[in-house]
Amino acid sequence: MPGTTSTASSISQAPSTYPTRSIFPQAPAFTLETFSNRDFIVKDFIENLSDSAVHQNRRSGPTNQAQAFDPKPLIRSFEHALNRLSALSGELELRENELSAAVRRAESEHASNVQTLGRKLDQTIDSFHQLDTSLNGNSADDNGVGGNVAVRIGEKLEELDRQRVRAQDSKFLIQCWVELSERGELLLLEDIRRQGGGEGKVRCANIARQLTKISQKLDPESWNHVNGTGKVNGTKGTNGVKGDHQLRHNTRELIEKFSETMETDLLKQFDEFYRRANLEGMRECANILYDFNGGASVVGLFVNQHQFFIDRSQLITEEVAGDAETWDRLADPDAEPPNAEPSLQSLVDEVKIVVQEESAIIKRAFPYSEQVLGRFLQRVFQQSIQQRLEMVLEKANTISSLAFLRSLQTSRSCISILIDDLKAHGLTEHPETVSSQITLILDQQFDELFVPYFVGSTYIEREKRSLEELYSSLLFKFTIFHSRRRKIPTTFMKSLAKSGSEMLASARDAYVERLDSSDLAPAQKAMLLRVAGLKDSDNAKAQTEIDVTDQDGLLSVGNTKRMLKWLAEAVGRGLELSGGSETPRDVYALLNLLLTNMGVIYIETSLDAANEVAASQENSKLESDLSYLPNLHSAITITHLMITYIKTVLIPLAASNITIRREMEKTTALATARLEDKINTIMQRTIDVAIAWITKLLAAQKKSDFRPRDDALSGGGAWLEMLQTPTCQTTTAFLTRLHTLALKALSPSSPNLSSFLLELALPTRHLLLEHFKKFQVNAAGGIMVTKDIGKYCELLRGWELGDVDPGFEEGLEVLGAVGELFVVGPEALRERVRGGRWVGCDLRGYVGRREDVGSVGVQSVLSLL
């Protein structure tokens, strides 16, 4: 191409400032490493080839000049690249063939090595099996030679070695004995002891123990003579030869002296290690002393010299502190008991910290840590805690019986929490739970602390005595009040306030005697007087009569709740303190105490008073005094509270003992039946007294009330304006008062109230029916009869007894119809007497009392009857 040739020649002839270069640009060189590079990108590689093929001048020429595309440089560049790639491909193929051949050679060598190693492994396994078979003696062709023989030889060698060691020890022991018996010295042992080291000291301890046994057998005289003086070996020497007058030494004294010296040194060393907190040294000394004498001396040293016991021994003489208010709360049965005594609580808190800290030291310092910890715990409980506990309980006993029991409960609870905390901590087993041996020691120490207070029936007798004192104090004025009651009283309240020569002073004398007892603490005396409502015992004793009010003789639900609260506290305390198999028996004792004080002394005494008053009213000429009825409500309420408490609390606690439970149920049933009988007797007598008094009131009815004279009618409207006759008014007033008292005595929702009112209403209705047969009635009097009967019926209907007895309403309707018999005319009367409601009713008795009974109309009616 001419154009191209001329252009190339002109360029080559022109001067240039650029470096000399080929006419055709060289393609970039590349090798296999170019394609092995991780950053190799095909696109970039092609672009580099393209850029290298285009001349620099052409790339940098003006953009506005149109240039024809020349593919030749690109073709030459790509051809060169292809040639280079072909060369590299051949080179790569050659290298691949070389590597493949090397791999095949390596695989062949590897297979050969694997086969060789497999044969060697099989040979090794076969050799191992042969050796194992030979050692176990299971081979049939070894003729007893092999493993068993090797084992027997080993055992023989070990036995020979042990015999050698025993022979050396025996030789050394004989040398020590000869030295001891002939020269009275133990230099060989002293040398070993001075050398130090744990093994040497252990060997010294063992040899000293063995020398003691030899001395007991070969030198019994030194053990038989207490004074330990030496004697001349005259008749027989140690070897039994007669006439040998050599001086013998007291081997026992020498051995004991050496043992004491060694033990003293070890204990001194142990104490030094303890003061420097060298636990490893302590452990070494403790181990040696354990082999020497069982470790009793080192344990005693560790426990007795502990700073806790030294400090506590100085504080044990301190008196039990506590402010007066706290002790007063402890003795007050109505106040909540305080927590444990402060000094005891402080001791328990300190013991918890000390035991937990020392258990870690004991575990590291003693190889027999549980034995040491057990001894430490025994000392803590038997000395520190027990002494403080006894001081607290002695102080509480000087306050009152209740204070003692409450202190016993809080102290036991406080120490029980300590035991649980120590078990949970684990002590030497921390952070695991405590071992069974330490658990047994803790439980044993806890039980031994409180065993003296729960031996036999000691505890329950204390509880009973405390409750009896409180109950006697609370019921003292009540008992005095009723002891002054006459056997045949006139009225209820007057009989309770009346005093005379027949007064019963036994309760007062017994209580005053108890207050003046020398064994009664002053604080308890003041508390009992406060509960009883007295100022002081001297004043109570000096007075001929103790002032009591009517209110003192009445039952009080508040006092009952106090008594049950005291008993509940005693029961809860008993379950917490004693518990176990003795609970049914203790609960039975408390049941009898409750039934005696609340059932007999309190409730029955009040019921007896009401019963006697009711009995005295039967023949009374005055209006019946029924003021005792409201007190029945308190008696019934208290009885219900007592029985509910017994069935809910006491009897279930005796479930583990069927015999005692049945006895409690039987006793409760008898007491309940006795109280119910007394209440029923009072109510029945009340009904009898009421009916008797109603009979007397009706008997006071005047004949002129239902047959007024003409002058009474003509004198004005006063008689006609009367609503009821005076007899009706007094009778209904009495029944109204009785109904009001019955509502106070019996709960309105109780069926007993309805039964009582029905028993009262039926006889009253019968009395009224009979009452109106006795009087002659004229026309004006019939109106008054109707008014009276209407008032009676209105009153009785107000008691709402129709649901209890449906026939009662029909009876009232009959009573109301009786009044109509006196006011209607003869013709209407004929219609009135017809019907089935008059069955069993004496109509002739009523019709015959009409003033116009002689008329023809009334007579015709009578003829029909």
Side-chain angles (χ1 to χ4, degrees):
M1 294 185 294
T4 306
T5 305
S6 59
T7 305
S9 61
S10 61
I11 293 175
S12 61
Q13 293 176 1
S16 176
T17 59
Y18 297 100
T20 304
R21 55 174 295 176
S22 173
I23 296 175
F24 302 101
Q26 299 292 326
F30 50 88
T31 62
L32 291 176
E33 285 73 12
T34 302
F35 301 97
S36 301
N37 190 359
R38 296 178 60 182
D39 297 332
F40 175 78
I41 300 175
V42 176
K43 181 180 178 181
D44 295 341
F45 178 73
I46 298 299
E47 289 179 354
N48 291 334
L49 289 177
S50 301
D51 293 340
S52 65
V54 180
H55 195 271
Q56 181 69 25
N57 294 331
R58 292 181 179 180
R59 289 195 302 266
S60 59
T63 59
N64 57 357
Q65 183 179 358
Q67 293 183 0
F69 175 70
D70 188 5
K72 293 180 179 180
L74 295 175
I75 294 173
R76 286 192 295 269
S77 179
F78 287 144
E79 287 178 349
H80 177 75
L82 287 174
N83 293 334
R84 179 60 181 163
L85 288 175
S86 298
L88 290 177
S89 177
E91 182 182 352
L92 182 62
E93 184 177 0
L94 179 62
R95 291 179 63 182
E96 182 180 0
N97 292 334
E98 292 176 355
L99 291 175
S100 298
V103 169
R104 286 192 295 271
R105 288 193 301 272
E107 288 178 349
S108 177
E109 291 177 0
H110 174 70
S112 177
N113 291 336
V114 169
Q115 292 177 356
T116 302
L117 292 175
R119 287 193 299 270
K120 290 183 179 180
L121 178 61
D122 293 337
Q123 293 174 1
T124 303
I125 293 173
D126 293 338
S127 300
F128 174 77
H129 286 313
Q130 292 176 3
L131 178 61
D132 182 63
T133 303
S134 176
L135 291 175
N136 293 331
N138 296 328
S139 178
D141 56 352
D142 61 358
N143 296 323
V145 180
N148 288 338
V149 175
V151 172
R152 288 195 294 271
I153 291 175
E155 293 176 352
K156 197 69 175 179
L157 290 175
E158 292 177 357
E159 180 64 24
L160 290 175
D161 182 67
R162 286 193 295 269
Q163 291 179 1
R164 181 183 66 83
V165 173
R166 285 199 299 269
Q168 291 177 351
D169 292 341
S170 300
K171 177 183 177 182
F172 185 78
L173 181 62
I174 293 173
Q175 291 175 349
C176 291
W177 171 252
V178 171
E179 183 183 36
L180 174 66
S181 61
E182 293 183 357
R183 296 197 300 271
E185 299 175 346
L186 285 173
L187 298 179
L188 295 176
L189 281 182
E190 289 289 347
D191 292 339
I192 296 177
R193 185 177 67 84
R194 292 192 186 98
Q195 290 176 2
E199 295 181 358
K201 293 179 181 179
V202 171
R203 187 182 180 191
C204 259
N206 292 332
I207 292 174
R209 188 167 58 250
Q210 293 173 356
L211 286 176
T212 301
K213 295 180 180 179
I214 294 174
S215 175
Q216 292 175 349
K217 293 181 179 179
L218 300 182
D219 189 14
E221 295 182 3
S222 63
W223 294 86
N224 294 334
H225 293 79
V226 180
N227 54 9
T229 56
K231 292 186 178 181
V232 177
N233 193 358
T235 306
K236 287 187 179 182
T238 304
N239 55 5
V241 181
K242 297 181 180 180
D244 188 3
H245 295 283
Q246 295 180 356
L247 181 65
R248 287 178 60 252
H249 299 278
N250 192 322
T251 57
R252 174 187 177 184
E253 182 178 344
L254 294 173
I255 295 173
E256 290 180 349
K257 187 175 181 180
F258 173 80
S259 299
E260 290 175 0
T261 302
M262 185 177 68
E263 182 179 10
T264 302
D265 292 344
L266 288 172
L267 292 176
K268 183 178 180 181
Q269 189 176 4
F270 177 86
D271 187 57
E272 292 176 355
F273 286 146
Y274 179 66
R275 298 183 185 280
R276 295 199 300 266
N278 187 346
L279 300 180
E280 295 298 330
M282 292 172 61
R283 189 178 184 88
E284 181 179 356
C285 293
N287 201 8
I288 296 171
L289 288 169
Y290 181 76
D291 293 335
F292 181 64
N293 60 4
S297 57
V298 68
V299 173
L301 175 65
F302 176 78
V303 173
N304 296 332
Q305 297 299 321
H306 198 280
Q307 192 64 32
F308 172 77
F309 300 108
I310 297 175
D311 296 340
R312 277 291 166 182
S313 63
Q314 299 173 358
L315 300 176
I316 200 64
T317 56
E318 292 184 356
E319 294 184 357
V320 178
D323 56 324
E325 182 181 355
T326 301
W327 290 110
D328 291 341
R329 287 177 54 201
L330 198 63
D332 188 357
D334 297 318
E336 290 296 326
N339 296 326
E341 197 275 329
S343 63
L344 178 62
Q345 183 65 56
S346 173
L347 173 62
V348 168
D349 295 339
E350 184 178 357
V351 166
K352 177 182 176 181
I353 297 174
V354 170
V355 172
Q356 290 178 356
E357 292 177 350
E358 291 302 317
S359 61
I361 297 175
I362 291 172
K363 181 179 181 179
R364 297 177 59 187
F366 293 91
Y368 41 96
S369 57
E370 287 193 352
Q371 177 182 347
V372 180
L373 180 60
R375 179 76 176 276
F376 185 77
L377 290 173
Q378 290 175 353
R379 180 72 181 275
V380 168
F381 280 91
Q382 295 177 4
Q383 177 176 322
S384 301
I385 295 181
Q386 183 174 357
Q387 290 179 356
R388 175 54 57 176
L389 176 64
E390 291 176 352
M391 294 177 64
V392 170
L393 294 180
E394 288 177 1
K395 172 66 175 180
N397 197 33
T398 61
I399 302 300
S400 70
S401 301
L402 180 61
F404 175 87
L405 293 171
R406 285 180 167 180
S407 296
L408 182 63
Q409 180 184 11
T410 55
S411 300
R412 192 176 189 274
S413 176
C414 174
I415 298 175
S416 176
I417 294 174
L418 170 64
I419 298 293
D420 293 339
D421 290 343
L422 294 180
K423 290 180 181 178
H425 179 269
L427 301 181
T428 55
E429 305 297 327
H430 182 76
E432 302 295 331
T433 56
V434 73
S435 65
S436 58
Q437 181 179 355
I438 299 301
T439 300
L440 182 63
I441 292 176
L442 289 172
D443 293 338
Q444 181 181 0
Q445 295 302 315
F446 180 71
D447 293 338
E448 290 179 356
L449 282 176
F450 296 96
V451 161
Y453 309 106
F454 299 100
V455 175
S457 59
T458 303
Y459 169 74
I460 193 61
E461 290 300 326
R462 283 182 176 271
E463 287 284 6
K464 288 174 59 179
R465 184 167 61 252
S466 175
L467 287 173
E468 286 175 351
E469 291 174 352
L470 293 176
Y471 287 170
S472 298
S473 299
L474 186 62
L475 303 180
F476 177 66
K477 285 190 174 182
F478 177 85
T479 305
I480 294 298
F481 192 93
H482 285 273
S483 68
R484 299 175 181 179
R485 177 168 44 87
R486 289 183 178 273
K487 293 298 181 180
I488 307 177
T490 56
T491 62
F492 177 67
M493 299 309 297
K494 290 182 179 180
S495 65
L496 298 179
K498 185 72 175 176
S499 61
S501 59
E502 301 88 358
M503 295 177 185
L504 301 177
S506 57
R508 180 195 63 189
D509 295 340
Y511 184 74
V512 172
E513 181 180 357
R514 174 60 179 162
L515 291 177
D516 293 336
S517 176
S518 59
D519 59 346
L520 189 65
Q524 184 175 4
K525 182 184 298 185
M527 185 273 297
L528 293 178
L529 288 171
R530 182 180 60 80
V531 173
L534 301 176
K535 294 183 179 180
D536 57 72
S537 58
D538 295 336
N539 186 27
K541 185 176 179 181
Q543 291 180 350
T544 306
E545 301 297 338
I546 298 177
D547 295 333
V548 291
T549 62
D550 296 342
Q551 194 67 26
D552 295 328
L554 300 178
L555 296 177
S556 171
V557 178
N559 287 342
T560 302
K561 291 181 178 179
R562 292 175 67 186
M563 296 171 72
L564 293 178
K565 179 184 176 182
W566 299 341
L567 181 61
E569 179 183 343
V571 172
R573 184 165 48 241
L575 292 176
E576 180 180 347
L577 296 181
S578 60
S581 59
E582 300 298 325
T583 298
R585 188 190 64 181
D586 296 346
V587 171
Y588 190 23
L590 295 178
L591 171 66
N592 291 327
L593 178 67
L594 178 64
L595 291 177
T596 300
N597 287 273
M598 184 177 293
V600 177
I601 297 178
Y602 200 42
I603 302 176
E604 288 193 17
T605 300
S606 179
L607 292 178
D608 289 340
N611 194 14
E612 292 178 6
V613 174
S616 66
Q617 301 295 317
E618 292 179 351
N619 299 320
S620 176
K621 296 181 180 181
L622 301 175
E623 180 179 353
S624 302
D625 182 8
L626 304 179
S627 55
Y628 58 84
L629 281 179
N631 200 42
L632 286 180
H633 184 269
S634 299
I636 295 173
T637 302
I638 293 172
T639 302
H640 177 72
L641 289 175
M642 181 181 70
I643 300 304
T644 302
Y645 180 85
I646 292 173
K647 292 182 178 180
T648 305
V649 178
L650 297 183
I651 293 180
L653 293 177
S656 59
N657 192 318
I658 298 178
T659 303
I660 294 180
R661 179 186 177 93
R662 289 177 178 174
E663 288 296 326
M664 293 177 65
E665 292 175 346
K666 182 180 178 181
T667 303
T668 304
L670 291 175
T672 304
R674 188 168 58 250
L675 293 174
E676 290 178 349
D677 290 342
K678 289 181 179 292
I679 294 174
N680 292 335
T681 300
I682 294 172
M683 301 307 294
Q684 186 59 50
R685 285 189 172 177
T686 301
I687 294 173
D688 296 339
V689 169
I691 295 300
W693 184 248
I694 293 173
T695 302
K696 291 182 179 181
L697 292 178
L698 293 177
Q701 186 85 55
K702 297 179 180 180
K703 294 181 180 181
S704 59
D705 290 341
F706 303 132
R707 193 180 181 183
R709 296 189 302 270
D710 294 338
D711 56 352
L713 294 175
S714 61
W719 186 89
L720 294 175
E721 292 176 358
M722 290 177 56
L723 297 177
Q724 294 89 25
T725 63
T727 301
C728 177
Q729 293 176 353
T730 56
T731 303
T732 54
F734 172 75
L735 289 173
T736 301
R737 289 194 301 271
L738 180 57
H739 179 258
T740 303
L741 293 174
L743 291 176
K744 294 181 180 179
L746 304 172
S747 175
S749 60
S750 173
N752 295 328
L753 176 62
S754 300
S755 300
F756 171 76
L757 294 178
L758 183 62
E759 291 294 328
L760 178 63
L762 291 176
T764 301
R765 188 192 65 178
H766 177 72
L767 290 176
L768 292 175
L769 290 174
E770 295 298 325
H771 174 68
F772 290 106
K773 294 180 182 179
K774 301 177 182 179
F775 299 94
Q776 194 76 27
V777 181
N778 57 17
I783 298 175
M784 192 57 65
V785 170
T786 305
K787 291 182 179 181
D788 283 359
I789 292 179
K791 183 62 175 180
Y792 290 133
C793 292
E794 179 186 358
L795 175 65
L796 295 178
R797 282 195 181 93
W799 294 358
E800 298 179 353
L801 302 177
D803 295 336
V804 182
D805 184 4
F808 179 72
E809 288 293 337
E810 297 179 0
L812 291 181
E813 292 179 1
V814 172
L815 179 60
V818 168
E820 297 177 358
L821 296 177
F822 295 103
V823 295
V824 298
E827 293 300 327
L829 181 62
R830 185 185 302 272
E831 297 296 330
R832 298 290 184 182
V833 298
R834 293 175 181 176
R837 61 179 177 178
W838 299 108
V839 176
C841 184
D842 186 13
L843 290 179
R844 295 181 62 89
Y846 300 111
V847 177
R849 305 308 296 175
R850 288 172 60 108
E851 188 179 33
D852 57 349
V853 66
S855 63
V856 176
V858 176
Q859 285 297 321
S860 63
V861 173
L862 289 177
S863 64
L864 295 176
L865 303 177

